[in-house]
Amino acid sequence: MRGRFTILGTSSAIPTKERNHPAIYFQWGGEAFLFDCGEGTQRQIQLADLSFYRIDKIFITHLHGDHVLGLPGLLQTLDFHDKDYVKIYGTPGTGELVKLSTTRCFYINTEDLKVEVKEIPPTEEVNTVLETDAYRILSIGMNHTVDCIGYAFEEREKFKYDRQKVKDLGLKARHFKELEEKGFTTLNGKKIEKHQLGEFKRGFKFTYITDTYYTENIFSLAQNSDYLVLECTYFDEDEYAEAVKHLSFNIFRTRIYPRLKELGVKNIVLTHFSRRYKDLSMFQEAIKKYKMENVYLAHDLMSFTF
């Protein structure tokens, strides 16, 4: 297992007894990220037996209350836990929200907790938000009533050696050291280049898209995802969904799902359900009826490992 993500909340604008406001806790290696931070996120983190303290980066999709009302309280808790640094990424206005929360409203002690904010304007092309040697975070603008962005976590490609070739050649540790440092090694007087011994394999990709109506940007960001967490606020209220800039299951089934499968998206997790649906049986029945493979309905505290 390289990582895990836990869906902390699956409701839309108003939480229900069963569904909390949106947030996803994403773990990879020794890091933990939070995507959105709706009201009640702290309690969900505890119920999922996860750690506040490990969160170093928070990615906010947009500034509607159901996606950010938990942020001031979480910052206060991180301060109480003697956290010294956290970085927040979000749409324009995120910095003002944090400033108000830490100086004028809740007086969170930012002398001890350094909160850095990077604002990300929505774009029509995939944008690199954060880049390390091991992974990068991507974003793109969505089609909502306010500035809104989707995010993707993408591991860098990794070189995978062909075990049989390595075995046949009898390569030793010193050969691998040279291959990594120089890109080639020498065996019995013969030069062997690294690319001859294997190939680069695509890394894991996770995409989170919420609060949007249909847009081609969904596909630009989500292509080749191992997991896509996608909003599905309504079932068949297509006209209303368009008016308020959300997705319905009908729109997902007819216009989005077929394209996602063509673009190599392996697993799709639907979330952000309207409180009007006391249960999701109609969604589940439709998934079965239309034989939609690897489509899941999220529930609070649902986890996936990879």
Side-chain angles (χ1 to χ4, degrees), residues 20-146:
N20 203 70
H21 271 168
I24 295 178
Y25 193 105
F26 185 91
Q27 299 165 267
W28 182 85
E31 296 189 68
F33 312 145
L34 192 66
F35 291 92
D36 280 338
C37 189
E39 182 182 355
T41 292
Q42 292 189 77
R43 187 168 184 273
Q44 297 296 91
I45 289 173
Q46 294 178 83
L47 289 173
D49 198 25
L50 299 169
S51 169
F52 299 119
Y53 194 81
R54 289 186 60 196
I55 299 171
D56 290 319
K57 302 175 183 70
I58 301 172
F59 299 91
I60 301 298
T61 59
H62 65 297
L63 297 180
H64 273 156
D66 54 325
H67 293 258
V68 295
L69 284 174
L71 185 58
L74 177 61
L75 291 178
Q76 180 170 273
T77 296
L78 293 178
D79 175 52
F80 288 163
H81 277 68
D82 296 324
K83 183 86 172 174
D84 56 8
Y85 176 80
V86 65
K87 186 163 184 177
I88 301 171
Y89 301 79
T91 50
T94 302
E96 184 178 1
L97 170 65
V98 171
K99 184 178 180 180
L100 287 171
S101 300
T102 56
T103 60
R104 292 178 58 187
C105 297
F106 306 107
Y107 303 101
I108 298 165
N109 187 355
T110 52
E111 291 183 3
D112 297 330
L113 172 64
K114 181 182 177 183
V115 182
E116 184 178 351
V117 177
K118 180 177 180 179
E119 294 190 343
I120 308 160
T123 58
E124 291 302 313
E125 303 292 334
V126 175
N127 171 56
T128 300
V129 171
L130 168 66
E131 197 163 13
T132 75
D133 291 339
Y135 64 84
R136 59 180 182 164
I137 304 291
L138 309 173
S139 73
I140 199 169
M142 290 293 128
N143 182 9
H144 195 40
T145 56
V146 299

Side-chain angles (χ1 to χ4, degrees), residues 28 30 45 51 80 92 100-101 119 129 142 160 171 179 193 204 210 213 222 224 237 254 273 289 301:
W28 182 85
I45 289 173
S51 169
F80 288 163
L100 287 171
S101 300
E119 294 190 343
V129 171
M142 290 293 128
K160 188 173 181 63
L171 297 180
L179 286 165
E193 296 190 6
F204 175 82
T210 187
Y213 184 61
N224 295 319
E237 299 94 328
T254 58
F273 305 109
K289 176 181 177 181
L301 308 185

Side-chain angles (χ1 to χ4, degrees), residues 162-179:
D162 185 310
R163 291 184 179 181
Q164 193 59 50
K165 287 183 179 180
V166 169
K167 182 179 179 181
D168 291 345
L169 289 170
L171 297 180
K172 307 296 183 184
R174 66 176 181 84
H175 295 119
F176 287 108
K177 184 178 180 182
E178 290 179 348
L179 286 165

Side-chain angles (χ1 to χ4, degrees), residues 175-188:
H175 295 119
F176 287 108
K177 184 178 180 182
E178 290 179 348
L179 286 165
E180 294 305 312
E181 292 178 350
K182 303 177 182 178
F184 68 90
T185 188
T186 303
L187 181 66
N188 299 325

Side-chain angles (χ1 to χ4, degrees), residues 227 266-271 273 284 287 294-298 302 304:
Y227 284 91
K266 295 179 181 178
N267 300 282
I268 303 166
V269 185
L270 301 180
T271 188
F273 305 109
Q284 192 62 61
I287 290 170
N294 299 325
V295 176
Y296 308 96
L297 300 178
M302 187 180 199
F304 296 84

